[in-house]
Amino acid sequence: MSVSHKSVGFQARKSTAGVAGGKPDAEHPVGEPLARVDGPLKVRGKARFAAEFALENLTYAALSYSTIAKGRIASINADEAKAAPGVLLVLTHENVSRLSPPPLFPEGAAGSTLPVMQDASIHWNGEPVALVIAESQEQADRAARLIRVTYEPEIAAIEFETVRAKAKAPKNILGEPTCIAIGDAEAALAQAPVRIDNIYRTPRHNHCAIELHALTAAWEGDALTVHDSTQMVHLTQKTLAKVFGVAEQKVRVLAPFVGGAFGNKSIWNHQILAIAAARMVGRPVRLVLSREGVFRETGGRTLTEQRVALGANADGTLAALIHTGIAGMTAHNDCPEQFTFPARHLYAAQTFLLSQKVAELNIVANTFMRAPGEAVGTFALECAMDELAEALNLDPIELRRLLEPDKDPVSGLPFSQRSLIEAYRRGAERFGWQNRSPVPGARSEGEWLIGQGVATATYPYHRFPGGVAKIRLSADGQATVQMGVHEMGMGTATVQAQYAAELLALPVECVTFEYGDSSLPSGVVAGGSCQSASIIAAVNAACEALFDELLKLVGHKSPLTGLIRTDVEAYRGGIRHRRDTDRFQSYVAILNQAGKDVLECEAPASEPSEAKRYSMHSYGAQFCEVRVNTVTGETRVSRWLASFDTGRILNARTAASQFRGGIIMGIGLALTEETFFDERTGRIMNPSLAEYHVPVHLDVPQIEVMWNGSPDPQSPYGVRGIGEIGITGAGAAIANAIYNATGRRIRELPITLDRLL
Amino acid sequence: MHFNVNGRDHEVEPDSRTSLLDLLREHLRLTGTKKGCDQGACGACTVLVDGVRINSCLALAVQYQDRAITTVEGLEADSGLHALQQAFIAHDGFQCGYCTPGQVCSAIGMAKELERGIPSALTEDLCAMSMAWTRDEIRERMSGNLCRCGAYNGIVTAIETTFAGESAR
């Protein structure tokens, strides 16, 4: 069997069709609203996702899931399944090969360190207990239903009320301290003239990317090729190498297109089982999880119970800021849902108590979901701020102005750049905030009450270490930039082509960005809103190496002879002297003169030390208007405006879409999304898109977004990352608007109609 | 069995359990039509059958013999992309691109429904001979097509600019 697996790369089209806001700036492509380079493929259905690679001799897989939360498998009867037409293999703990436990993020790509199907023990309701391989999907699905499993159940920790008493402080929260106490916040709260002290609850959520988790995997000898729906190709490569005991170079992971991920597309049991089965049957395997399977076998956002207590002085300043609480978690992952993080950086206060615990449950390992921590932490904190503003008889924006710190309130580090109050000012003006009545229930139209709310959005700046980029410059004037990163809809290929074009002073259509393949130089995870800055840092390093090489190549008769890197700059497809600007030679001329067809340079990104020296965060102000029906209790979001302070924007069009996407997920978080969990059995009760309600067209108004675009002086090219901030503050903005409309303060998500009636 | 997809004839013998979606994806290798839930809840698998939009995951392939099936791969003309496909690019009506073929096919089916005067839950005059192309009508009628990336604003604008202009002419 021979299969060619090509990594993809895109060239920006010369056509400027659809470019909003006038003519593109050929000299400075960054920031231009360039249409997505992969747009033509996507609208034609030609972008190939993980389940869409046709291999000869392909087999199909289906999974069977446990129906108890904890205990042991007493027996598995797979006789009927094995005898069913087309079945090639039934994989269970009885016949699976020995597999090493997968390493957890960030060492590996796994959502849990539990060994995969290595014995009869069961750890959550929905854990895979068998995998069927058959000639067709229909045969595999049918056979999976014929497997009879009996269990010896044990008492499982699945009721949050029971385990919360045993909640403990983890060693750290994603490397940060678990508890921050500055002064005696409880005492300061007790003495404060104005106090807000409430509990907020947020439920479990699921990512619900529309593309189901899928892989197409093939072994050739001890070499493994996997088309996986993943947001971390290199960590997946590393993890699979470890699990299967093969060298990393023997594993190739490709993910040129990923149909949404949001934190969910990492390594779960299904890839490991399907790949183990492929080795046993000696044929390639395709596994597409069912939608139910996605809920059963991959983790979502966990539930939280949060206390926010604010003690204010008479002038509105904070004497005490307390944010504490508990998140549900498993013993086998490291995702404590860092909901206290926003309170560590947003507001000045005389005392702080910021501390969170985890309560261990026998559930599918919870994982990172868009703005883990910040999405639900800002719900509690920003609702509490709204409550405090009302108690102080202050406008909520005025309260934020009063509480604006001049340095990081917890670490004492200077802010690299922060214009939150300016974002509020611009947003308020555009939204017409001054027309809003602070009195709840003041506005109505027929049976609809209308209210407006505001909340702060915030998300930290991250840059993952370890990224490497390669630039290939060819004698035809084309450049290719390579890095094993990801395109899941963020616009990576587009904006990075723009960035490299800017850096090399090439027309954007002369630059191709290749990604999504573990055979490319080491990329970073598409997570933590950090891809853009991480890629740029690596591309900068590669570009420096390239310039050094180019200057070495120039001959004795070049206008650039004798110059060093600091003397020159990129200019119109070549290099020129910074001051003596007539001294110019094009890349093409340099390569031709040196008799070279191609020049390749690869370099690692600098260490991300900037975030150790500065408090680096993005900010925003979320404004919304809701209409609440007094008869049915339903809430409709009728207007939205978000004003962001998120560093330099690389592409106005794709950035606006990312902001909107985050906000829309925030509308779901506020109003409709909840993974129902049966606390008697530990089983998820709504594992489908019919019963887990993500926002649909009619739930979403026109969303206006604006940004200041101020470059961060400390980050690569001033970029801070924008993938997650949109969801932060969104839940609180809606809850605050609902309060303004109805006078009802709902402190538990989602705010469904039963909670309003 | 005989199937007609995008004007081309195919002879295939699928399992009686094979959905139209799996026929397209696994047998005919037309992977433009997407699987997002396989239970009629997300709309990613929307195709046109005799011009009417259906969820191909809920359709058994054997029932669609000799019908005119159109998938996203069949929308392009010799002159290039369908106007709606171009509008999706122009208005950034997608991010990851996975729900996009379903959104595009669904919108084309929806346009025909509006032309035929089929009312929606939002239509005020049920007896009207033709429907207004309002954003609310589009949002209501497209609500069976989920987009988790949240490209809804761009999708509605793409549909509006493609079809509303057409009907006004």
Side-chain angles (χ1 to χ4, degrees):
Chain A
M1 187 194 71
S2 157
V3 182
S4 102
H5 304 277
K6 263 192 82 196
S7 58
V8 297
F10 294 99
Q11 243 176 330
R13 296 291 179 278
K14 202 159 199 156
S15 154
T16 56
V19 170
K23 271 197 250 168
D25 183 340
E27 300 256 320
H28 296 289
V30 166
E32 289 300 319
L34 192 73
R36 289 170 196 269
V37 293
D38 50 13
L41 277 185
K42 285 177 173 174
V43 300
R44 288 152 70 221
K46 300 281 188 198
R48 278 210 286 174
F49 294 84
E52 298 171 355
F53 290 83
L55 301 185
E56 277 171 45
N57 240 348
L58 187 64
T59 65
Y60 293 83
L63 283 164
S64 177
Y65 305 95
S66 84
T67 54
I68 65 160
K70 192 178 180 212
R72 295 184 67 76
I73 296 168
S75 70
I76 293 191
N77 184 341
D79 293 347
E80 222 185 321
K82 284 181 198 158
V87 172
L88 300 164
L89 174 72
V90 178
L91 190 70
T92 69
H93 72 92
E94 291 168 353
N95 62 347
V96 72
S97 53
R98 293 307 97 191
L99 304 168
S100 300
L104 198 62
F105 182 81
E107 279 69 44
S112 163
T113 52
L114 274 173
V116 179
M117 210 193 265
Q118 294 294 293
D119 59 31
S121 59
I122 296 295
H123 310 85
W124 78 91
N125 194 323
E127 182 172 359
V129 292
L131 174 127
V132 176
I133 300 289
E135 296 286 352
S136 76
Q137 191 65 60
E138 293 80 9
Q139 290 167 336
D141 289 343
R142 169 71 182 143
R145 287 190 201 106
L146 297 174
I147 295 166
R148 307 280 171 244
V149 185
T150 62
Y151 299 95
E152 290 164 6
E154 293 164 23
I155 292 171
I158 43 183
E159 201 183 33
F160 189 67
E161 264 321 292
T162 313
V163 298
R164 64 196 295 285
K166 288 182 265 179
K168 57 186 186 190
K171 268 187 222 135
N172 62 67
I173 307 276
L174 304 181
E176 300 287 327
T178 305
C179 177
I180 287 172
I182 299 173
D184 187 344
E186 294 287 4
L189 177 71
Q191 286 163 15
V194 181
R195 285 189 293 273
I196 296 292
D197 192 348
N198 289 303
I199 300 292
Y200 301 83
R201 291 185 177 85
T202 64
R204 295 172 168 86
H205 294 137
N206 276 77
H207 308 69
C208 297
I210 302 298
E211 182 202 18
L212 297 159
H213 293 59
L215 73 154
T216 306
W219 289 93
E220 281 182 84
D222 63 348
L224 171 67
T225 303
V226 187
H227 295 272
D228 188 27
S229 182
T230 179
Q231 57 194 98
M232 41 192 91
V233 287
H234 280 102
L235 285 182
T236 296
Q237 174 195 40
K238 198 172 159 184
T239 304
L240 294 175
K242 172 109 195 302
V243 168
F244 291 98
V246 296
E248 277 179 32
Q249 353 22 310
K250 291 282 186 183
V251 179
R252 185 169 177 202
V253 179
L254 297 105
F257 295 100
V258 179
F262 315 112
N264 190 214
K265 293 218 168 128
S266 52
I267 286 266
W268 300 97
N269 284 16
H270 67 272
Q271 293 107 322
I272 292 171
L273 294 173
I275 292 165
R279 192 157 63 174
M280 285 172 77
V281 298
R283 290 171 59 179
V285 167
R286 173 167 302 156
L287 173 57
V288 180
L289 286 188
S290 64
R291 182 52 67 180
E292 179 185 351
V294 174
F295 280 82
R296 299 252 175 270
E297 188 252 4
T298 79
R301 193 197 302 280
T302 193
L303 75 170
T304 71
E305 184 183 272
Q306 307 175 46
R307 175 190 176 213
V308 180
L310 305 171
N313 302 309
D315 64 357
T317 57
L318 277 183
L321 198 175
I322 298 174
H323 195 167
T324 60
I326 305 171
M329 210 173 105
T330 75
H332 313 286
N333 72 1
D334 188 18
C335 186
E337 198 70 27
Q338 62 275 25
F339 56 80
T340 60
F341 278 19
R344 298 177 182 205
H345 312 287
L346 275 183
Y347 300 113
Q350 284 153 331
T351 65
F352 287 90
L353 177 61
L354 311 169
S355 158
Q356 58 184 103
K357 294 181 174 176
V358 294
E360 274 178 20
L361 291 158
N362 298 124
I363 52 172
V364 60
N366 62 292
T367 195
F368 305 97
M369 177 167 163
R370 202 172 205 164
E374 282 81 8
V376 291
T378 52
F379 166 67
L381 179 64
E382 293 302 294
C383 282
M385 282 292 160
D386 205 62
E387 297 182 52
L388 180 64
E390 190 188 31
L392 289 165
N393 202 18
L394 278 175
D395 182 86
I397 299 176
E398 182 55 28
L399 176 64
R400 267 94 177 178
R401 208 187 316 273
L402 282 173
L403 300 181
E404 180 69 2
D406 54 9
K407 60 180 191 295
D408 189 287
V410 165
S411 69
L413 291 173
F415 293 117
S416 58
Q417 188 268 333
R418 170 161 163 149
S419 308
L420 173 60
I421 299 304
E422 175 64 6
Y424 264 112
R425 191 194 62 72
R426 284 159 44 96
E429 192 180 295
R430 185 77 167 252
F431 187 77
W433 181 253
Q434 75 280 3
N435 299 325
R436 171 229 194 214
S437 167
V439 182
R443 245 181 101 191
S444 65
E445 270 176 29
E447 61 194 39
W448 294 89
L449 292 169
I450 302 167
Q452 296 181 339
V454 74
T456 299
T458 186
Y459 192 79
Y461 164 83
H462 294 294
R463 182 155 74 83
F464 281 131
V468 178
K470 184 191 271 185
I471 302 176
R472 188 200 304 133
L473 199 58
S474 49
D476 58 0
Q478 301 283 318
T480 303
V481 180
Q482 297 179 323
M483 193 169 173
V485 291
H486 313 86
E487 165 58 53
M488 319 177 306
M490 310 87 85
T492 312
T494 309
V495 303
Q496 293 301 337
Q498 286 174 273
Y499 179 68
E502 176 100 20
L503 194 63
L504 297 169
L506 284 170
V508 71
E509 60 272 14
C510 292
V511 179
T512 302
F513 187 75
E514 291 183 357
Y515 64 93
D517 183 345
S518 66
S519 69
L520 299 174
S522 181
V524 293
V525 171
S529 297
C530 78
Q531 258 205 168
S532 293
S534 303
I535 297 168
I536 286 173
V539 172
N540 284 347
C543 182
E544 287 307 305
L546 183 81
F547 272 48
D548 285 343
E549 284 304 309
L550 283 167
L551 289 173
K552 280 184 210 159
L553 282 185
V554 299
H556 296 300
K557 289 177 189 163
S558 161
L560 304 176
T561 305
L563 299 181
I564 58 168
R565 175 66 185 98
T566 47
D567 298 330
V568 299
E569 63 187 6
Y571 180 73
R572 292 199 175 172
I575 296 178
R576 73 173 180 186
H577 194 285
R578 280 179 201 277
R579 290 174 308 279
D580 191 0
T581 53
D582 287 343
R583 293 179 68 181
F584 167 86
Q585 194 169 22
S586 71
Y587 303 131
V588 173
I590 297 171
L591 292 182
N592 282 337
Q593 217 167 50
K596 275 188 167 292
D597 292 334
V598 176
L599 180 62
E600 281 188 345
C601 284
E602 184 176 307
S606 60
E607 278 301 305
S609 60
E610 61 274 18
K612 294 195 180 85
R613 290 177 277 120
Y614 291 89
S615 176
M616 298 180 71
H617 301 264
S618 281
Y619 305 95
Q622 306 264 24
F623 293 83
C624 78
E625 179 181 280
V626 300
R627 300 162 71 88
V628 181
N629 191 291
T630 51
V631 179
T632 64
E634 71 188 292
T635 299
R636 293 271 159 208
V637 180
S638 47
R639 279 182 66 203
W640 201 287
L641 178 130
S643 170
F644 290 108
D645 168 32
T646 52
R648 193 197 297 270
I649 294 300
L650 295 171
N651 178 317
R653 180 195 312 234
T654 57
S657 288
Q658 265 199 302
F659 286 133
R660 288 192 180 105
I663 291 163
I664 290 166
M665 211 176 270
I667 292 174
L669 166 138
L671 296 176
T672 58
E673 291 186 36
E674 175 170 9
T675 307
F676 292 115
F677 184 79
D678 186 338
E679 291 206 321
R680 299 162 303 175
T681 61
R683 199 154 176 87
I684 288 169
M685 297 187 288
N686 57 340
S688 81
L689 293 177
E691 292 169 284
Y692 182 98
H693 295 148
V694 306
V696 304
H697 273 283
L698 198 60
D699 297 324
V700 177
Q702 188 65 32
I703 293 171
E704 200 177 341
V705 289
M706 56 197 286
W707 53 80
N708 59 17
S710 305
D712 190 307
Q714 304 305 328
S715 73
Y717 203 59
V719 166
R720 275 205 301 256
I722 59 168
E724 287 162 276
I725 191 168
I727 192 174
T728 71
I734 290 175
N736 295 340
I738 288 173
Y739 177 76
N740 183 243
T742 65
R744 301 283 300 279
R745 214 26 112 174
I746 310 296
R747 301 189 183 92
E748 185 167 2
L749 294 179
I751 308 175
T752 43
L753 43 87
D754 52 302
R755 290 190 168 128
L756 280 169
L757 282 174
Chain B
M1 285 177 256
H2 173 251
F3 295 92
N4 183 288
V5 183
N6 301 329
R8 281 190 57 194
D9 294 314
H10 300 270
E11 293 297 328
V12 199
E13 294 302 318
D15 194 308
S16 58
R17 299 168 294 192
T18 302
S19 67
L20 178 56
L21 173 61
D22 284 339
L23 177 87
L24 295 168
R25 285 175 65 83
E26 303 297 335
H27 295 259
L28 305 181
R29 293 187 180 174
L30 290 168
T31 54
T33 307
K34 303 301 182 191
K35 184 181 284 190
C37 70
D38 217 19
Q39 50 193 186
C42 76
C45 65
T46 306
V47 299
L48 300 163
V49 177
D50 300 327
V52 175
R53 55 178 173 168
I54 66 162
N55 285 331
S56 63
C57 74
L58 294 183
L60 287 170
V62 294
Q63 293 179 294
Y64 290 85
Q65 297 172 68
D66 302 316
R67 304 279 295 274
I69 299 159
T70 306
T71 71
V72 70
E73 290 95 341
L75 299 178
E76 278 176 78
D78 292 339
S79 53
L81 295 180
H82 188 284
L84 183 61
Q85 290 172 311
Q86 284 172 1
F88 264 65
I89 297 173
H91 299 285
D92 217 30
F94 55 90
Q95 291 185 43
C96 77
Y98 197 78
C99 74
T100 313
Q103 301 275 3
V104 170
C105 287
S106 186
I108 291 170
M110 179 196 67
K112 292 263 162 53
E113 289 161 25
L114 267 167
E115 260 174 39
R116 291 201 301 273
I118 297 173
S120 79
L122 291 186
T123 310
E124 286 183 9
D125 180 3
L126 298 183
C127 301
M129 292 305 287
S130 70
M131 304 292 158
W133 272 99
T134 66
R135 288 182 76 91
D136 282 353
E137 276 284 0
I138 296 171
R139 288 161 67 219
E140 162 64 20
R141 290 165 187 267
M142 289 298 292
S143 282
N145 287 84
L146 307 184
C147 170
R148 188 55 158 166
C149 296
Y152 291 129
N153 285 178
I155 295 169
V156 173
T157 304
I159 295 170
E160 193 181 28
T161 54
T162 305
F163 295 112
E166 218 170 70
S167 70
R169 275 197 291 275

